[in-house]
């Protein structure tokens, strides 16, 4: 997911996306621990997407919405 796509989303959509990514990361880590994960790079990709979402959310809340 690109940062430009995230900047176009509302705060509610970003919070929902953050929750989805946290759940997905949990499932991926569980699969990795049980050796059932076919693509281990998916964990890294998901972590980076989550960081992007959190960065955009933080910019909006810290800037008072000016960064939107």
């Amino acid at each position: 997911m690109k940062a430009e796509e995230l900047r176009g989303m509302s705060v509610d959509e970003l919070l929902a996306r953050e929750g989805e990514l946290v759940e997905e990361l949990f499932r991926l880590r569980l699969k990795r621990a049980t050796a059932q994960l076919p693509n281990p790079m998916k964990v890294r990709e998901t972590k980076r997407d989550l960081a992007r979402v959190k960065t955009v959310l933080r910019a909006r809340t810290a800037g008072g919405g000016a960064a939107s």
Side-chain angles (χ1 to χ4, degrees), residues 2-5 7 11 13 16 24 32 34 36 38 40 43 45 47 51 54 62 66:
K2 302 265 185 184
E4 289 298 321
E5 295 173 19
R7 288 187 189 109
V11 174
E13 291 173 332
E24 184 178 349
R32 183 177 60 184
T34 58
Q36 295 177 357
V43 175
E45 189 178 306
K47 285 170 68 174
K54 286 184 175 188

Side-chain angles (χ1 to χ4, degrees), residues 20-37:
E20 292 170 5
L21 288 170
V22 168
E23 289 177 21
E24 184 178 349
L25 188 58
F26 173 76
R27 286 192 303 270
L28 289 172
R29 285 180 175 159
L30 185 62
K31 284 184 178 182
R32 183 177 60 184
T34 58
Q36 295 177 357
L37 185 62

Side-chain angles (χ1 to χ4, degrees), residues 1-10 13-15 17-18 21 41-60:
M1 177 168 283
K2 302 265 185 184
E4 289 298 321
E5 295 173 19
L6 295 173
R7 288 187 189 109
M9 298 172 103
S10 70
E13 291 173 332
L14 287 169
L15 290 172
R17 183 70 181 143
E18 181 183 15
L21 288 170
M41 292 302 291
K42 186 71 174 158
V43 175
R44 176 188 274 185
E45 189 178 306
T46 304
K47 285 170 68 174
R48 288 183 179 181
D49 284 344
L50 181 59
R52 284 186 192 104
V53 169
K54 286 184 175 188
T55 300
V56 172
L57 276 172
R58 176 74 177 155
R60 289 208 183 151

